[in-house]
Amino acid sequence: MKSLEYIPACNQCAYENNSIFRFLNDDQLSLLSYEKGCNLYKKGNVVYHEGGRVNGFYCVNIGIVKLYKTGYEGREQIIRFAKQGEIIGFRSVLSGDFACHTARILEDSLLCFIPTETLFELIRKNAEFSIELLKLTCRELGEANAFITDIAQKTVRERLAEVLLILYNGFGLDEEKFLQIVLTREELSNIVGTATESVIRLLSELKEDKLIEIHGRRLKLLDLRGLKKVANY
Amino acid sequence: MKSLEYIPACNQCAYENNSIFRFLNDDQLSLLSYEKGCNLYKKGNVVYHEGGRVNGFYCVNIGIVKLYKTGYEGREQIIRFAKQGEIIGFRSVLSGDFACHTARILEDSLLCFIPTETLFELIRKNAEFSIELLKLTCRELGEANAFITDIAQKTVRERLAEVLLILYNGFGLDEEKFLQIVLTREELSNIVGTATESVIRLLSELKEDKLIEIHGRRLKLLDLRGLKKVANY
DNA sequence: CGCTAATTTGAGTGACTTCAAGCACAGTGG
DNA sequence: CCACTGTGCTTGAAGTCACTCAAATTAGCG
């Protein structure tokens, strides 16, 4: 982690990255820019640990952050990834609780840090902003509940295909149809909730069926419609 | 469903049942009482359907409501139960989306209906209330994520024990240690995410181990500590 | 420094095991 | 009397273990 002298302005970023902060007015955006901090993080760094105290939350300016919980036998369960414009850790800030997941850098990142008090001030001053924050949380909750249903009812094969589509929705493809997020097989298994070996075998199956191509860790999604069918999605 | 002439006042209920509305002031509570409706529902009635429009949300005055999603093969996945003082359906109201689960009456209920506009008015007028609403949603989100981790990593036996403990936390025991919510084996299986037969077998196992007693659908929790151990909870 | 050697890490495969789902059917109690 | 509970049996999906292979990192050393 490295502190920055140059701090990117929020008023620009908010609109470019479609962040929650676009619901703030100019004054509030200035306040935000003034009160926040900004740091560089390298891949593998931990931003905050599950169970630790947090006294503020983060907004991703550049990079990707992996959020995961640790199960009782040490296995990580990936909850979600945060990319440009998304905020992480605000749940613990709001509830005043310990962090309920670990945040680890997946791709070198630039994160802005916003102190707890600033968040509360903004919520109190701007009802529109707080409604949008509520909507955001509700959306995440809806996704979480949908995933519970899937993980409880679908086969590993279906879930894997679905996870690929969820990643597609979040990160998109490049011009060659490569998924714009690169994960190890183990990380994939920690989203799907299965063994690494199963992911390896099932990816091969999807390749056999011409739905994807495998180039090391980079995955090319050839047939989105076909994947949807496999995933019942 | 049956409309009521007598409508319970919110200012009393809010405090007695520790509902989210205790963060409203007297005027706002009066407004709420004035603008809400109130209906009786019988066991098995559907309050709203997954995928349907909702133009308001509900607060449980008496009874228990079961919230569940329907998987792609028609299996229900129970998301949570709402009891006295809890609100349901506000997520769809906030996001303006279709309901993402079905609400069905588990025990005869008295539900108060609050129109969308009233909710938004209260959020706009009362920052404290909206913060508490945010906290509530965050808490639910945290629970959902924890459950994802469990369902992905734990065995059915562990999950069943855990579900019993979750139900204990939500509904408590009577003086004879009977769980204060009565579910069919199928409903239990639709929380745990398993087959009905597995629940039956595993409940028997827990009985063998003297952790619970089975009296038809009523379950007596004999050894909470033991259950925690089984559940790794 | 640069160039192997040594070690680690992740991907992939096969053999085996096991947990839990599914099916069929019997019992029972609301 | 029908929906729910309970049991035995079978099967299959997926987990576990043990191992190989390739690539990437790090260490060692002239």
Side-chain angles (χ1 to χ4, degrees):
Chain A
M1 189 181 109
K2 201 178 119 188
S3 236
L4 276 195
E5 329 70 47
Y6 165 73
I7 289 185
C10 293
N11 46 5
Q12 210 177 337
C13 169
Y15 288 92
E16 278 170 10
N17 295 326
N18 253 317
S19 88
I20 183 85
F21 300 119
R22 69 186 185 283
F23 298 99
L24 296 178
N25 66 31
D26 288 348
D27 284 358
Q28 289 159 350
L29 278 167
S30 303
L31 176 80
L32 192 60
S33 288
Y34 179 74
E35 295 196 344
K36 76 174 180 176
C38 214
N39 292 299
L40 278 171
Y41 293 79
K42 284 279 176 197
K43 180 180 173 74
N45 283 173
V46 168
V47 186
Y48 54 83
H49 266 108
E50 183 173 355
R53 273 259 170 249
V54 285
N55 49 1
F57 69 107
Y58 300 82
C59 181
V60 181
N61 190 280
I62 294 172
I64 301 178
V65 186
K66 172 173 81 171
L67 306 181
Y68 63 92
K69 289 181 80 75
T70 305
Y72 74 105
E73 265 177 340
R75 262 192 70 129
E76 75 181 41
Q77 176 65 40
I78 297 178
I79 300 302
R80 71 177 179 103
F81 296 98
K83 60 173 192 292
Q84 217 162 60
E86 296 182 346
I87 56 178
I88 61 173
F90 70 102
R91 185 157 69 259
S92 319
V93 165
L94 277 168
S95 62
D97 270 343
F98 299 107
C100 63
H101 55 243
T102 302
R104 187 183 289 268
I105 304 296
L106 189 75
E107 286 182 11
D108 292 359
S109 299
L110 180 56
L111 303 185
C112 298
F113 176 83
I114 298 117
T116 302
E117 261 322 302
T118 310
L119 177 65
F120 278 103
E121 196 178 338
L122 292 173
I123 291 176
R124 291 218 173 77
K125 277 190 178 160
N126 188 329
E128 229 36 63
F129 173 71
S130 80
I131 288 175
E132 291 301 326
L133 207 52
L134 254 168
K135 283 187 188 177
L136 182 71
T137 318
C138 287
R139 214 172 305 134
E140 269 189 58
L141 182 53
E143 283 165 18
N145 284 335
F147 196 64
I148 287 175
T149 309
D150 288 338
I151 212 165
Q153 298 190 4
K154 289 186 177 177
T155 63
V156 174
R157 185 184 158 83
E158 292 170 309
R159 265 143 57 198
L160 176 61
E162 177 168 352
V163 162
L164 293 178
L165 290 167
I166 291 173
L167 291 173
Y168 160 72
N169 286 331
F171 296 91
L173 307 179
D174 66 10
E175 57 294 337
E176 285 184 275
K177 297 198 176 178
F178 277 112
L179 201 54
Q180 291 286 69
I181 180 173
V182 175
L183 301 170
T184 65
R185 303 292 189 264
E186 193 181 358
E187 281 167 331
L188 273 173
S189 76
N190 289 341
I191 312 173
V192 175
T194 186
T196 310
E197 294 95 321
S198 298
V199 166
I200 292 170
R201 283 182 240 267
L202 290 167
L203 281 178
S204 302
E205 274 186 40
L206 295 178
K207 188 181 73 181
E208 289 301 306
D209 299 345
K210 307 265 183 264
L211 299 171
I212 64 169
E213 256 176 42
I214 301 176
H215 298 249
R217 277 177 211 167
R218 304 195 311 135
L219 301 176
K220 198 184 267 196
L221 304 192
L222 297 175
D223 182 357
L224 292 172
R225 185 161 311 198
L227 282 172
K228 271 181 201 171
K229 210 168 164 185
V230 171
N232 289 303
Y233 184 58
Chain B
M1 188 181 109
K2 200 178 123 186
S3 235
L4 276 195
E5 328 70 48
Y6 166 70
I7 290 184
C10 294
N11 46 6
Q12 210 178 336
C13 169
Y15 288 92
E16 277 171 10
N17 295 325
N18 252 317
S19 89
I20 183 85
F21 300 118
R22 70 187 184 281
F23 297 98
L24 297 177
N25 65 33
D26 288 349
D27 284 357
Q28 289 160 350
L29 278 168
S30 303
L31 176 81
L32 192 63
S33 289
Y34 179 74
E35 296 195 342
K36 77 173 180 179
C38 216
N39 293 296
L40 277 171
Y41 292 80
K42 284 281 174 195
K43 181 179 174 71
N45 283 172
V46 168
V47 186
Y48 54 84
H49 266 107
E50 184 173 355
R53 274 260 170 250
V54 285
N55 49 0
F57 68 107
Y58 300 82
C59 181
V60 181
N61 189 279
I62 295 171
I64 301 178
V65 185
K66 172 173 80 172
L67 306 180
Y68 64 92
K69 290 181 80 74
T70 305
Y72 74 105
E73 266 178 339
R75 260 191 72 127
E76 75 180 41
Q77 176 65 39
I78 295 176
I79 301 301
R80 70 177 179 103
F81 296 97
K83 60 173 192 290
Q84 219 163 58
E86 296 182 347
I87 57 178
I88 62 173
F90 71 101
R91 186 158 69 259
S92 319
V93 165
L94 277 168
S95 61
D97 271 343
F98 298 107
C100 64
H101 56 242
T102 302
R104 188 184 289 267
I105 303 297
L106 189 77
E107 285 182 12
D108 294 359
S109 297
L110 179 56
L111 303 186
C112 297
F113 175 82
I114 297 118
T116 301
E117 261 324 300
T118 309
L119 177 64
F120 277 103
E121 197 180 336
L122 291 173
I123 291 175
R124 292 219 172 75
K125 278 190 178 159
N126 187 331
E128 228 36 62
F129 173 70
S130 80
I131 287 174
E132 291 302 326
L133 207 51
L134 255 168
K135 283 188 188 174
L136 181 71
T137 319
C138 288
R139 214 171 306 134
E140 269 189 56
L141 182 54
E143 283 165 18
N145 285 335
F147 196 64
I148 287 175
T149 309
D150 288 338
I151 212 167
Q153 299 190 4
K154 290 186 176 177
T155 63
V156 174
R157 184 184 159 85
E158 292 170 309
R159 267 142 58 199
L160 177 61
E162 178 168 350
V163 162
L164 292 179
L165 290 167
I166 292 174
L167 291 173
Y168 160 71
N169 285 331
F171 296 91
L173 307 180
D174 66 10
E175 58 292 339
E176 283 185 275
K177 297 198 177 178
F178 276 112
L179 200 54
Q180 291 287 67
I181 179 174
V182 175
L183 301 170
T184 66
R185 303 291 189 265
E186 193 181 358
E187 281 168 331
L188 272 173
S189 77
N190 290 340
I191 312 174
V192 175
T194 188
T196 310
E197 296 94 320
S198 299
V199 167
I200 291 169
R201 281 182 243 271
L202 291 167
L203 281 178
S204 301
E205 274 186 41
L206 294 178
K207 188 181 72 182
E208 288 302 307
D209 298 345
K210 307 264 182 264
L211 299 171
I212 63 169
E213 257 178 41
I214 301 176
H215 298 248
R217 277 179 210 164
R218 304 195 311 136
L219 301 175
K220 200 183 265 195
L221 305 192
L222 297 176
D223 181 357
L224 293 172
R225 185 163 307 201
L227 281 171
K228 271 182 200 168
K229 210 167 167 186
V230 171
N232 287 303
Y233 184 59

